[in-house]
Amino acid sequence: MTLFTHELRLLLRSRMALLALLLVALLAAASVAAGMAEVARQRAVIARIQPKQAQDIAAVAQWVTATKDPGNAAYYSFHATWDAPAPLAFAALGLRDVAPYILRVRALGLEAQLYDGEAFNPELALPGRFDFAFVLVYLTPLFVIALFHDLVSGEREAGRLRMLDALAGSGRHLWARRVLLRGGLLFLALALPVTIGAILSHAHFFPLLAVLGLVALYLAFWISVTLLVGRLRWSSVTNAATLAGLWLLLTLLLPTIAHVAINRAIPVGQGVELTLAQREAVNRAWDIPREQTMQAFYAGHPEWKDSPPLTHAFHWKWYFAFHQVGDESVAPRAIAYRQGIEARDAAARAIGWLLPSVGVQALLARLADTDMQAQLAYQDRIRAFHARLRTYYYGYLFTDKPFDKAAFEQAPTFDGG
């Protein structure tokens, strides 16, 4: 411990080293604070939407119950769904920065509603959020380079290297102590803010332990890279320039090239294309015989085939039937779209085994439940809830059962799970 204390005093005498450690600690703390503020904002929005939803349904119920028309109830009732952030979401906001975490749906065609929130400005989304994942993946390697690039070369240039190596039995121990000390201080500067944030966010122990393990492994990778470059016996300036080039290559250039390659190898359309295709199918229903629409609907939903036949008057069940048929007409495209997204996500995770920056970012987003898998799981919950809505309202629409105030109170609600 005396030797470590001595090395610590020597390290803290270096203004550059002290400034680097303080700066990485401040950046880590600021990123955790920013992430927690964003998560708190999202939770507040979700909390506000639920009472507003109740007021909206009450307003619709007030005038619909006068006519007891289930079609009006189903058409004008919007039902809120939401995706609450996980406890560790503050560490890696992931897709929560661009994908909708609240979506209001009706019993109409789902595909036209599901991707309404997909549109965003890609130029604004490109830089990403300033969160802990950003500090760890992109900024931390620069601090590792600052602290380790001249670990040996600096002593050589100062004329002390031969003397240090000549110390009997202590040469290797000296370098090991310096590496462990600098790496340990960097780890503490990163680990303490994220641990405090996790405790305040009531995160579970094992996910937090996994995050800290990722921090340690990512630091170990970059420290190893700097030590390998240092063994080439170059000058400190050359070491720093070489390591900066490697940082640029491994964290920016290669991940960008890999992203472009994945997008070209696995072409996937936009969700808005599904929306347009579904709306075209829905609009076409106005131009074809209503019986043709009902036959297509009953073929897929025989449980409602005994519903009374249509008359010349407008009936809501026909309207909702062609929305259902519109969804089913684009179902193969929706499945292909989902499979394409999953294939891209799997390819990106595979790239993570080759590029540590990509792998660490993907694992952090997985632990924070903010990755593509989490977004698709939210869509699955919306689909399941929408199916319950349709089944509930169809029970009134296809039997001409009056829709009273009690029916509003019994309608399915989204539980957020």
Side-chain angles (χ1 to χ4, degrees):
M1 291 299 298
T2 303
L3 292 175
F4 270 102
T5 304
H6 175 68
E7 290 295 337
L8 178 60
R9 286 200 299 267
L10 290 177
L11 178 64
L12 296 181
R13 287 178 184 175
S14 170
R15 291 184 179 180
M16 188 276 292
L18 183 60
L19 180 61
L21 290 170
L22 289 176
L23 189 56
V24 73
L26 288 174
L27 286 171
S31 67
V32 168
M36 293 182 69
E38 175 61 19
V39 168
R41 186 190 68 81
Q42 293 184 9
R43 290 187 185 278
V45 172
I46 292 172
R48 287 199 303 270
I49 198 68
Q50 298 179 49
K52 295 292 184 181
Q53 169 69 24
Q55 294 176 10
D56 186 46
I57 291 293
V60 173
Q62 187 174 1
W63 68 270
V64 168
T65 50
T67 61
K68 297 185 178 181
D69 187 342
N72 285 329
Y75 183 83
Y76 290 104
S77 295
F78 286 84
H79 302 265
T81 70
W82 58 89
D83 182 26
L88 280 176
F90 71 89
L93 292 171
L95 289 179
R96 296 190 69 89
D97 192 27
V98 294
Y101 55 90
I102 293 177
L103 188 67
R104 300 176 74 214
V105 297
R106 293 186 286 173
L108 299 174
L110 180 61
E111 299 300 338
Q113 304 177 71
L114 197 57
Y115 302 104
D116 277 348
E118 187 184 69
F120 61 91
N121 188 335
E123 292 184 357
L124 295 179
L126 184 61
R129 281 278 182 177
F130 177 72
D131 55 13
F132 181 76
F134 177 83
V135 171
L136 175 63
V137 171
Y138 295 104
L139 301 185
T140 296
L142 296 176
F143 291 102
V144 173
I145 293 171
L147 289 174
F148 286 87
H149 77 282
D150 61 347
L151 187 67
V152 177
S153 60
E155 299 293 348
R156 183 188 307 114
E157 292 162 2
R160 296 188 295 264
L161 183 59
R162 289 187 178 182
M163 179 189 67
L164 292 174
D165 287 338
L167 293 176
S170 64
R172 291 185 178 180
H173 295 160
L174 171 66
W175 302 120
R177 283 196 302 273
R178 290 188 175 182
V179 169
L180 288 175
L181 180 62
R182 298 185 182 206
L185 289 174
L186 269 177
F187 176 78
L188 287 177
L190 293 165
L192 284 178
V194 77
T195 300
I196 294 172
I199 293 172
L200 294 177
S201 301
H202 307 288
H204 295 296
F205 173 74
F206 288 107
L208 172 60
L209 189 63
V211 170
L212 296 179
L214 277 177
V215 172
L217 288 174
Y218 195 59
L219 279 175
F221 168 77
W222 278 103
I223 290 172
S224 299
V225 170
T226 58
L227 294 179
L228 287 174
V229 171
R231 290 179 64 88
L232 298 176
R233 303 181 65 83
W234 292 338
S235 67
S236 298
V237 174
T238 303
N239 287 346
T242 302
L243 290 167
L246 287 174
W247 170 81
L248 184 65
L249 184 68
L250 294 176
T251 62
L252 296 176
L253 295 181
L254 288 181
T256 301
I257 293 171
H259 176 72
V260 172
I262 290 172
N263 288 350
R264 290 189 175 182
I266 308 174
V268 178
Q270 297 292 325
V272 69
E273 295 175 4
L274 280 174
T275 298
L276 294 175
Q278 193 269 355
R279 286 176 177 169
E280 287 178 2
V282 167
N283 292 335
R284 179 175 174 272
W286 294 96
D287 302 323
I288 63 176
R290 293 189 297 173
E291 291 74 14
Q292 183 177 338
T293 296
M294 299 310 295
Q295 288 175 2
F297 176 80
Y298 290 140
H301 306 275
E303 66 272 21
W304 306 113
K305 65 181 180 181
D306 294 329
S307 178
L310 293 173
T311 64
H312 292 292
F314 172 82
H315 199 290
W316 279 110
K317 66 182 178 184
W318 164 70
Y319 185 83
F320 281 86
F322 71 65
H323 272 267
Q324 177 93 49
V325 171
D327 270 357
E328 293 168 355
S329 68
V330 299
R333 295 181 61 175
I335 293 173
Y337 177 68
R338 170 74 171 256
Q339 291 174 343
I341 289 177
E342 290 176 335
R344 279 186 176 180
D345 185 55
R349 283 185 277 111
I351 292 295
W353 290 101
L354 300 175
L355 297 175
S357 59
V358 175
V360 168
Q361 201 162 22
L363 286 172
L364 277 176
R366 179 84 293 269
L367 290 169
D369 204 26
T370 58
D371 60 352
M372 180 58 71
Q373 295 178 52
Q375 180 62 22
L376 293 177
Y378 174 44
Q379 289 188 5
D380 289 340
R381 295 196 298 273
I382 294 175
R383 290 183 184 278
F385 173 64
H386 190 264
R388 290 169 53 208
L389 277 181
R390 273 178 163 164
T391 300
Y392 181 74
Y393 285 115
Y394 287 176
Y396 290 87
L397 288 168
F398 288 89
T399 61
D400 293 324
K401 183 180 177 181
F403 202 90
D404 54 17
K405 186 175 182 180
F408 271 103
E409 297 172 353
Q410 296 168 3
T413 55
F414 187 76
D415 58 8

mmCIF file of all heavy atoms in Angstrom, residues 290-323:
data_model
loop_
_atom_site.group_PDB
_atom_site.id
_atom_site.type_symbol
_atom_site.label_atom_id
_atom_site.label_comp_id
_atom_site.label_asym_id
_atom_site.label_seq_id
_atom_site.Cartn_x
_atom_site.Cartn_y
_atom_site.Cartn_z
ATOM 1 N N ARG A 290 -69.783 -3.883 -50.946
ATOM 2 C CA ARG A 290 -69.587 -4.139 -49.524
ATOM 3 C C ARG A 290 -69.592 -5.630 -49.203
ATOM 4 O O ARG A 290 -68.902 -6.084 -48.279
ATOM 5 C CB ARG A 290 -70.669 -3.419 -48.709
ATOM 6 C CG ARG A 290 -70.561 -1.896 -48.771
ATOM 7 C CD ARG A 290 -71.497 -1.233 -47.788
ATOM 8 N NE ARG A 290 -72.906 -1.526 -48.093
ATOM 9 C CZ ARG A 290 -73.929 -1.184 -47.309
ATOM 10 N NH1 ARG A 290 -73.694 -0.528 -46.187
ATOM 11 N NH2 ARG A 290 -75.158 -1.475 -47.649
ATOM 12 N N GLU A 291 -70.370 -6.397 -49.980
ATOM 13 C CA GLU A 291 -70.434 -7.835 -49.739
ATOM 14 C C GLU A 291 -69.059 -8.486 -49.946
ATOM 15 O O GLU A 291 -68.710 -9.454 -49.265
ATOM 16 C CB GLU A 291 -71.465 -8.488 -50.668
ATOM 17 C CG GLU A 291 -72.909 -8.134 -50.362
ATOM 18 C CD GLU A 291 -73.271 -6.715 -50.796
ATOM 19 O OE1 GLU A 291 -72.477 -6.109 -51.574
ATOM 20 O OE2 GLU A 291 -74.327 -6.210 -50.359
ATOM 21 N N GLN A 292 -68.290 -7.954 -50.885
ATOM 22 C CA GLN A 292 -66.950 -8.497 -51.141
ATOM 23 C C GLN A 292 -66.050 -8.299 -49.923
ATOM 24 O O GLN A 292 -65.284 -9.197 -49.546
ATOM 25 C CB GLN A 292 -66.339 -7.810 -52.367
ATOM 26 C CG GLN A 292 -64.971 -8.340 -52.760
ATOM 27 C CD GLN A 292 -64.452 -7.681 -54.028
ATOM 28 O OE1 GLN A 292 -65.229 -7.151 -54.833
ATOM 29 N NE2 GLN A 292 -63.135 -7.697 -54.207
ATOM 30 N N THR A 293 -66.169 -7.127 -49.304
ATOM 31 C CA THR A 293 -65.391 -6.863 -48.088
ATOM 32 C C THR A 293 -65.818 -7.785 -46.961
ATOM 33 O O THR A 293 -64.975 -8.351 -46.254
ATOM 34 C CB THR A 293 -65.564 -5.395 -47.663
ATOM 35 O OG1 THR A 293 -65.032 -4.545 -48.662
ATOM 36 C CG2 THR A 293 -64.846 -5.135 -46.340
ATOM 37 N N MET A 294 -67.134 -7.953 -46.785
ATOM 38 C CA MET A 294 -67.622 -8.782 -45.680
ATOM 39 C C MET A 294 -67.237 -10.241 -45.882
ATOM 40 O O MET A 294 -66.918 -10.948 -44.914
ATOM 41 C CB MET A 294 -69.129 -8.637 -45.539
ATOM 42 C CG MET A 294 -69.597 -7.214 -45.222
ATOM 43 S SD MET A 294 -68.713 -6.430 -43.835
ATOM 44 C CE MET A 294 -69.220 -7.491 -42.473
ATOM 45 N N GLN A 295 -67.241 -10.719 -47.134
ATOM 46 C CA GLN A 295 -66.828 -12.094 -47.389
ATOM 47 C C GLN A 295 -65.370 -12.305 -47.013
ATOM 48 O O GLN A 295 -65.000 -13.322 -46.412
ATOM 49 C CB GLN A 295 -67.046 -12.433 -48.867
ATOM 50 C CG GLN A 295 -68.512 -12.602 -49.259
ATOM 51 C CD GLN A 295 -68.679 -12.828 -50.751
ATOM 52 O OE1 GLN A 295 -67.702 -12.903 -51.501
ATOM 53 N NE2 GLN A 295 -69.926 -12.911 -51.192
ATOM 54 N N ALA A 296 -64.529 -11.323 -47.373
ATOM 55 C CA ALA A 296 -63.113 -11.421 -47.011
ATOM 56 C C ALA A 296 -62.934 -11.384 -45.497
ATOM 57 O O ALA A 296 -62.091 -12.103 -44.937
ATOM 58 C CB ALA A 296 -62.328 -10.290 -47.666
ATOM 59 N N PHE A 297 -63.738 -10.581 -44.825
ATOM 60 C CA PHE A 297 -63.637 -10.488 -43.369
ATOM 61 C C PHE A 297 -64.094 -11.778 -42.704
ATOM 62 O O PHE A 297 -63.417 -12.317 -41.823
ATOM 63 C CB PHE A 297 -64.465 -9.304 -42.857
ATOM 64 C CG PHE A 297 -64.499 -9.197 -41.361
ATOM 65 C CD1 PHE A 297 -63.439 -8.638 -40.665
ATOM 66 C CD2 PHE A 297 -65.590 -9.670 -40.638
ATOM 67 C CE1 PHE A 297 -63.467 -8.542 -39.281
ATOM 68 C CE2 PHE A 297 -65.623 -9.586 -39.255
ATOM 69 C CZ PHE A 297 -64.551 -9.022 -38.576
ATOM 70 N N TYR A 298 -65.262 -12.293 -43.126
ATOM 71 C CA TYR A 298 -65.794 -13.505 -42.508
ATOM 72 C C TYR A 298 -64.913 -14.720 -42.785
ATOM 73 O O TYR A 298 -64.879 -15.668 -41.990
ATOM 74 C CB TYR A 298 -67.218 -13.777 -43.006
ATOM 75 C CG TYR A 298 -68.237 -12.780 -42.494
ATOM 76 C CD1 TYR A 298 -69.257 -12.306 -43.328
ATOM 77 C CD2 TYR A 298 -68.182 -12.303 -41.192
ATOM 78 C CE1 TYR A 298 -70.196 -11.389 -42.865
ATOM 79 C CE2 TYR A 298 -69.105 -11.388 -40.722
ATOM 80 C CZ TYR A 298 -70.102 -10.929 -41.571
ATOM 81 O OH TYR A 298 -71.019 -10.021 -41.100
ATOM 82 N N ALA A 299 -64.179 -14.699 -43.908
ATOM 83 C CA ALA A 299 -63.279 -15.819 -44.208
ATOM 84 C C ALA A 299 -62.183 -15.940 -43.151
ATOM 85 O O ALA A 299 -61.750 -17.046 -42.815
ATOM 86 C CB ALA A 299 -62.653 -15.634 -45.586
ATOM 87 N N GLY A 300 -61.730 -14.811 -42.635
ATOM 88 C CA GLY A 300 -60.703 -14.829 -41.602
ATOM 89 C C GLY A 300 -61.248 -14.814 -40.200
ATOM 90 O O GLY A 300 -60.526 -15.108 -39.248
ATOM 91 N N HIS A 301 -62.529 -14.452 -40.052
ATOM 92 C CA HIS A 301 -63.155 -14.341 -38.729
ATOM 93 C C HIS A 301 -64.541 -14.974 -38.761
ATOM 94 O O HIS A 301 -65.561 -14.285 -38.679
ATOM 95 C CB HIS A 301 -63.225 -12.873 -38.304
ATOM 96 C CG HIS A 301 -61.894 -12.177 -38.350
ATOM 97 N ND1 HIS A 301 -60.994 -12.222 -37.327
ATOM 98 C CD2 HIS A 301 -61.314 -11.448 -39.342
ATOM 99 C CE1 HIS A 301 -59.907 -11.544 -37.657
ATOM 100 N NE2 HIS A 301 -60.081 -11.066 -38.869
ATOM 101 N N PRO A 302 -64.577 -16.285 -38.904
ATOM 102 C CA PRO A 302 -65.872 -16.970 -39.041
ATOM 103 C C PRO A 302 -66.760 -16.855 -37.801
ATOM 104 O O PRO A 302 -67.962 -17.122 -37.885
ATOM 105 C CB PRO A 302 -65.465 -18.435 -39.295
ATOM 106 C CG PRO A 302 -64.081 -18.549 -38.708
ATOM 107 C CD PRO A 302 -63.448 -17.223 -38.926
ATOM 108 N N GLU A 303 -66.202 -16.461 -36.674
ATOM 109 C CA GLU A 303 -67.016 -16.344 -35.463
ATOM 110 C C GLU A 303 -68.086 -15.261 -35.583
ATOM 111 O O GLU A 303 -69.051 -15.245 -34.815
ATOM 112 C CB GLU A 303 -66.139 -16.071 -34.240
ATOM 113 C CG GLU A 303 -65.414 -14.741 -34.225
ATOM 114 C CD GLU A 303 -64.054 -14.786 -34.910
ATOM 115 O OE1 GLU A 303 -63.838 -15.706 -35.718
ATOM 116 O OE2 GLU A 303 -63.223 -13.913 -34.620
ATOM 117 N N TRP A 304 -67.929 -14.353 -36.571
ATOM 118 C CA TRP A 304 -68.903 -13.270 -36.741
ATOM 119 C C TRP A 304 -69.766 -13.450 -38.005
ATOM 120 O O TRP A 304 -70.535 -12.564 -38.355
ATOM 121 C CB TRP A 304 -68.199 -11.917 -36.834
ATOM 122 C CG TRP A 304 -67.273 -11.631 -35.705
ATOM 123 C CD1 TRP A 304 -65.922 -11.521 -35.749
ATOM 124 C CD2 TRP A 304 -67.629 -11.432 -34.334
ATOM 125 N NE1 TRP A 304 -65.400 -11.271 -34.509
ATOM 126 C CE2 TRP A 304 -66.433 -11.196 -33.610
ATOM 127 C CE3 TRP A 304 -68.849 -11.429 -33.641
ATOM 128 C CZ2 TRP A 304 -66.421 -10.976 -32.237
ATOM 129 C CZ3 TRP A 304 -68.836 -11.206 -32.268
ATOM 130 C CH2 TRP A 304 -67.634 -10.983 -31.582
ATOM 131 N N LYS A 305 -69.686 -14.602 -38.643
ATOM 132 C CA LYS A 305 -70.386 -14.780 -39.923
ATOM 133 C C LYS A 305 -71.898 -14.838 -39.773
ATOM 134 O O LYS A 305 -72.639 -14.654 -40.750
ATOM 135 C CB LYS A 305 -69.897 -16.045 -40.622
ATOM 136 C CG LYS A 305 -70.225 -17.338 -39.878
ATOM 137 C CD LYS A 305 -69.682 -18.538 -40.629
ATOM 138 C CE LYS A 305 -70.026 -19.833 -39.872
ATOM 139 N NZ LYS A 305 -69.495 -21.020 -40.577
ATOM 140 N N ASP A 306 -72.397 -15.105 -38.574
ATOM 141 C CA ASP A 306 -73.844 -15.156 -38.350
ATOM 142 C C ASP A 306 -74.432 -13.786 -38.036
ATOM 143 O O ASP A 306 -75.610 -13.677 -37.673
ATOM 144 C CB ASP A 306 -74.159 -16.122 -37.200
ATOM 145 C CG ASP A 306 -73.804 -17.566 -37.544
ATOM 146 O OD1 ASP A 306 -73.888 -17.915 -38.739
ATOM 147 O OD2 ASP A 306 -73.439 -18.332 -36.629
ATOM 148 N N SER A 307 -73.607 -12.734 -38.170
ATOM 149 C CA SER A 307 -74.106 -11.381 -37.946
ATOM 150 C C SER A 307 -75.182 -11.042 -38.983
ATOM 151 O O SER A 307 -75.114 -11.505 -40.133
ATOM 152 C CB SER A 307 -72.957 -10.383 -38.056
ATOM 153 O OG SER A 307 -73.396 -9.062 -37.896
ATOM 154 N N PRO A 308 -76.199 -10.264 -38.612
ATOM 155 C CA PRO A 308 -77.254 -9.904 -39.573
ATOM 156 C C PRO A 308 -76.670 -9.276 -40.830
ATOM 157 O O PRO A 308 -75.672 -8.539 -40.764
ATOM 158 C CB PRO A 308 -78.102 -8.890 -38.795
ATOM 159 C CG PRO A 308 -77.870 -9.224 -37.360
ATOM 160 C CD PRO A 308 -76.459 -9.703 -37.273
ATOM 161 N N PRO A 309 -77.229 -9.561 -41.994
ATOM 162 C CA PRO A 309 -76.683 -9.023 -43.252
ATOM 163 C C PRO A 309 -76.807 -7.506 -43.310
ATOM 164 O O PRO A 309 -77.646 -6.902 -42.636
ATOM 165 C CB PRO A 309 -77.526 -9.700 -44.324
ATOM 166 C CG PRO A 309 -78.796 -10.077 -43.629
ATOM 167 C CD PRO A 309 -78.430 -10.401 -42.211
ATOM 168 N N LEU A 310 -75.976 -6.919 -44.146
ATOM 169 C CA LEU A 310 -76.004 -5.473 -44.313
ATOM 170 C C LEU A 310 -77.238 -5.049 -45.092
ATOM 171 O O LEU A 310 -77.748 -5.780 -45.949
ATOM 172 C CB LEU A 310 -74.750 -5.009 -45.055
ATOM 173 C CG LEU A 310 -73.407 -5.166 -44.334
ATOM 174 C CD1 LEU A 310 -72.272 -4.811 -45.286
ATOM 175 C CD2 LEU A 310 -73.348 -4.294 -43.087
ATOM 176 N N THR A 311 -77.701 -3.857 -44.803
ATOM 177 C CA THR A 311 -78.761 -3.226 -45.586
ATOM 178 C C THR A 311 -78.132 -2.121 -46.432
ATOM 179 O O THR A 311 -76.913 -1.977 -46.473
ATOM 180 C CB THR A 311 -79.841 -2.664 -44.662
ATOM 181 O OG1 THR A 311 -79.265 -1.614 -43.865
ATOM 182 C CG2 THR A 311 -80.401 -3.746 -43.739
ATOM 183 N N HIS A 312 -78.967 -1.328 -47.099
ATOM 184 C CA HIS A 312 -78.422 -0.233 -47.903
ATOM 185 C C HIS A 312 -77.876 0.898 -47.034
ATOM 186 O O HIS A 312 -77.101 1.725 -47.516
ATOM 187 C CB HIS A 312 -79.512 0.307 -48.847
ATOM 188 C CG HIS A 312 -79.896 -0.668 -49.919
ATOM 189 N ND1 HIS A 312 -79.040 -1.021 -50.937
ATOM 190 C CD2 HIS A 312 -81.038 -1.376 -50.110
ATOM 191 C CE1 HIS A 312 -79.639 -1.907 -51.739
ATOM 192 N NE2 HIS A 312 -80.861 -2.141 -51.250
ATOM 193 N N ALA A 313 -78.287 0.929 -45.779
ATOM 194 C CA ALA A 313 -77.819 1.981 -44.873
ATOM 195 C C ALA A 313 -76.379 1.699 -44.425
ATOM 196 O O ALA A 313 -75.914 0.554 -44.432
ATOM 197 C CB ALA A 313 -78.742 2.083 -43.663
ATOM 198 N N PHE A 314 -75.697 2.772 -44.044
ATOM 199 C CA PHE A 314 -74.329 2.614 -43.544
ATOM 200 C C PHE A 314 -74.352 1.825 -42.239
ATOM 201 O O PHE A 314 -75.217 2.038 -41.381
ATOM 202 C CB PHE A 314 -73.697 3.989 -43.303
ATOM 203 C CG PHE A 314 -72.359 3.948 -42.614
ATOM 204 C CD1 PHE A 314 -71.206 3.705 -43.334
ATOM 205 C CD2 PHE A 314 -72.268 4.143 -41.240
ATOM 206 C CE1 PHE A 314 -69.959 3.666 -42.696
ATOM 207 C CE2 PHE A 314 -71.036 4.104 -40.606
ATOM 208 C CZ PHE A 314 -69.878 3.866 -41.339
ATOM 209 N N HIS A 315 -73.374 0.931 -42.084
ATOM 210 C CA HIS A 315 -73.251 0.190 -40.828
ATOM 211 C C HIS A 315 -71.782 0.160 -40.417
ATOM 212 O O HIS A 315 -70.894 -0.105 -41.225
ATOM 213 C CB HIS A 315 -73.778 -1.239 -40.969
ATOM 214 C CG HIS A 315 -74.100 -1.880 -39.646
ATOM 215 N ND1 HIS A 315 -73.134 -2.242 -38.734
ATOM 216 C CD2 HIS A 315 -75.295 -2.216 -39.077
ATOM 217 C CE1 HIS A 315 -73.694 -2.777 -37.661
ATOM 218 N NE2 HIS A 315 -75.018 -2.777 -37.856
ATOM 219 N N TRP A 316 -71.567 0.416 -39.148
ATOM 220 C CA TRP A 316 -70.198 0.508 -38.647
ATOM 221 C C TRP A 316 -69.429 -0.799 -38.797
ATOM 222 O O TRP A 316 -68.208 -0.789 -38.948
ATOM 223 C CB TRP A 316 -70.210 0.929 -37.170
ATOM 224 C CG TRP A 316 -70.372 2.386 -36.928
ATOM 225 C CD1 TRP A 316 -71.471 3.015 -36.399
ATOM 226 C CD2 TRP A 316 -69.415 3.417 -37.176
ATOM 227 N NE1 TRP A 316 -71.254 4.368 -36.300
ATOM 228 C CE2 TRP A 316 -69.993 4.646 -36.771
ATOM 229 C CE3 TRP A 316 -68.132 3.436 -37.704
ATOM 230 C CZ2 TRP A 316 -69.335 5.854 -36.877
ATOM 231 C CZ3 TRP A 316 -67.466 4.652 -37.812
ATOM 232 C CH2 TRP A 316 -68.066 5.838 -37.407
ATOM 233 N N LYS A 317 -70.133 -1.939 -38.757
ATOM 234 C CA LYS A 317 -69.388 -3.195 -38.812
ATOM 235 C C LYS A 317 -68.694 -3.364 -40.159
ATOM 236 O O LYS A 317 -67.607 -3.956 -40.247
ATOM 237 C CB LYS A 317 -70.293 -4.383 -38.514
ATOM 238 C CG LYS A 317 -71.382 -4.668 -39.533
ATOM 239 C CD LYS A 317 -72.214 -5.836 -39.076
ATOM 240 C CE LYS A 317 -73.362 -6.135 -40.053
ATOM 241 N NZ LYS A 317 -74.235 -7.231 -39.561
ATOM 242 N N TRP A 318 -69.293 -2.831 -41.217
ATOM 243 C CA TRP A 318 -68.633 -2.862 -42.518
ATOM 244 C C TRP A 318 -67.382 -1.977 -42.498
ATOM 245 O O TRP A 318 -66.324 -2.349 -43.009
ATOM 246 C CB TRP A 318 -69.607 -2.386 -43.607
ATOM 247 C CG TRP A 318 -68.938 -2.016 -44.899
ATOM 248 C CD1 TRP A 318 -68.335 -2.860 -45.786
ATOM 249 C CD2 TRP A 318 -68.777 -0.697 -45.444
ATOM 250 N NE1 TRP A 318 -67.812 -2.155 -46.856
ATOM 251 C CE2 TRP A 318 -68.075 -0.819 -46.671
ATOM 252 C CE3 TRP A 318 -69.176 0.569 -45.029
ATOM 253 C CZ2 TRP A 318 -67.761 0.272 -47.471
ATOM 254 C CZ3 TRP A 318 -68.854 1.660 -45.823
ATOM 255 C CH2 TRP A 318 -68.161 1.509 -47.023
ATOM 256 N N TYR A 319 -67.496 -0.808 -41.880
ATOM 257 C CA TYR A 319 -66.374 0.124 -41.805
ATOM 258 C C TYR A 319 -65.197 -0.507 -41.063
ATOM 259 O O TYR A 319 -64.044 -0.458 -41.524
ATOM 260 C CB TYR A 319 -66.828 1.403 -41.108
ATOM 261 C CG TYR A 319 -65.783 2.497 -41.073
ATOM 262 C CD1 TYR A 319 -65.592 3.341 -42.161
ATOM 263 C CD2 TYR A 319 -64.989 2.683 -39.949
ATOM 264 C CE1 TYR A 319 -64.636 4.346 -42.132
ATOM 265 C CE2 TYR A 319 -64.028 3.685 -39.904
ATOM 266 C CZ TYR A 319 -63.863 4.515 -41.003
ATOM 267 O OH TYR A 319 -62.898 5.500 -40.974
ATOM 268 N N PHE A 320 -65.465 -1.118 -39.914
ATOM 269 C CA PHE A 320 -64.391 -1.739 -39.147
ATOM 270 C C PHE A 320 -63.894 -3.010 -39.823
ATOM 271 O O PHE A 320 -62.718 -3.367 -39.697
ATOM 272 C CB PHE A 320 -64.856 -2.028 -37.722
ATOM 273 C CG PHE A 320 -64.837 -0.816 -36.839
ATOM 274 C CD1 PHE A 320 -65.920 0.053 -36.799
ATOM 275 C CD2 PHE A 320 -63.729 -0.513 -36.070
ATOM 276 C CE1 PHE A 320 -65.895 1.186 -36.003
ATOM 277 C CE2 PHE A 320 -63.695 0.609 -35.272
ATOM 278 C CZ PHE A 320 -64.777 1.472 -35.238
ATOM 279 N N ALA A 321 -64.773 -3.683 -40.551
ATOM 280 C CA ALA A 321 -64.363 -4.895 -41.268
ATOM 281 C C ALA A 321 -63.341 -4.562 -42.342
ATOM 282 O O ALA A 321 -62.332 -5.267 -42.494
ATOM 283 C CB ALA A 321 -65.580 -5.593 -41.883
ATOM 284 N N PHE A 322 -63.556 -3.472 -43.096
ATOM 285 C CA PHE A 322 -62.571 -3.197 -44.147
ATOM 286 C C PHE A 322 -61.265 -2.635 -43.583
ATOM 287 O O PHE A 322 -60.220 -2.726 -44.222
ATOM 288 C CB PHE A 322 -63.142 -2.377 -45.309
ATOM 289 C CG PHE A 322 -63.464 -0.932 -45.074
ATOM 290 C CD1 PHE A 322 -62.498 0.008 -44.779
ATOM 291 C CD2 PHE A 322 -64.787 -0.476 -45.224
ATOM 292 C CE1 PHE A 322 -62.791 1.346 -44.628
ATOM 293 C CE2 PHE A 322 -65.096 0.862 -45.074
ATOM 294 C CZ PHE A 322 -64.098 1.780 -44.771
ATOM 295 N N HIS A 323 -61.302 -2.076 -42.392
ATOM 296 C CA HIS A 323 -60.039 -1.729 -41.736
ATOM 297 C C HIS A 323 -59.280 -2.993 -41.336
ATOM 298 O O HIS A 323 -58.050 -3.063 -41.483
ATOM 299 C CB HIS A 323 -60.300 -0.858 -40.510
ATOM 300 C CG HIS A 323 -60.350 0.606 -40.819
ATOM 301 N ND1 HIS A 323 -59.263 1.426 -40.723
ATOM 302 C CD2 HIS A 323 -61.376 1.394 -41.249
ATOM 303 C CE1 HIS A 323 -59.593 2.664 -41.072
ATOM 304 N NE2 HIS A 323 -60.879 2.674 -41.385
#
